Amino acid sequence: MEPSTRDSACFEAGIKFGALYHQFAGTPVNPDSAPSLETAIEESIENQPFCESVEVGILTDKLAEAIDHGYTELTGKFMEVEIVIDHEGCEVVTRMEMEDGYPLMKIESVQED
């Protein structure tokens, strides 16, 4: 059985999240550098095929609590992310948020034309 357009769109969303998380996890960050890092992440991932939009929110209040030497490393606990994919008319909205101490990436909605 061939994958459906829906299957392919969801797969593309997973690829984007894998790239985002594993490319940027461990990046040194502090509240002052967070806005430029948010922009860098968004613009990097938006370059990928089928990516309609990326919104990254780095939680600067949580960053500030974790800093002991001027910066900390970026992890999922400091980010909220939404990625929207449009693959052949199928829109997939995905989100990453902390759930039970884990940065859970999940599909919020799928809409086909």
Side-chain angles (χ1 to χ4, degrees), residues 4-87:
S4 68
T5 300
R6 179 185 182 107
D7 295 335
S8 296
C10 290
F11 176 79
E12 287 294 334
I15 292 298
K16 301 327 178 238
F17 261 117
L20 183 152
Y21 195 87
H22 294 291
Q23 179 176 352
F24 292 98
T27 300
V29 63
N30 66 32
D32 293 335
S33 66
S36 63
L37 183 55
E38 288 171 343
T39 301
I41 294 170
E42 291 167 353
E43 290 179 357
S44 173
I45 302 305
E46 285 174 347
N47 284 323
Q48 296 184 38
F50 313 112
C51 194
E52 287 296 306
S53 66
V54 179
E55 292 181 26
V56 176
I58 296 178
L59 308 173
T60 55
D61 56 333
K62 292 186 182 212
L63 275 181
E65 293 171 9
I67 292 174
D68 59 359
H69 289 85
Y71 75 96
T72 190
E73 293 180 0
L74 188 65
T75 67
K77 69 182 174 185
F78 301 123
M79 291 190 290
E80 291 179 348
V81 179
E82 179 182 274
I83 299 175
V84 178
I85 301 300
D86 187 343
H87 180 68

Side-chain angles (χ1 to χ4, degrees), residues 6 9-11 13-14 17 91-95 105-110:
R6 179 185 182 107
C10 290
F11 176 79
F17 261 117
E91 182 184 84
V92 178
V93 178
T94 59
R95 181 172 307 284
M105 301 164 197
K106 58 186 173 182
I107 297 171
E108 290 287 312
S109 65
V110 178

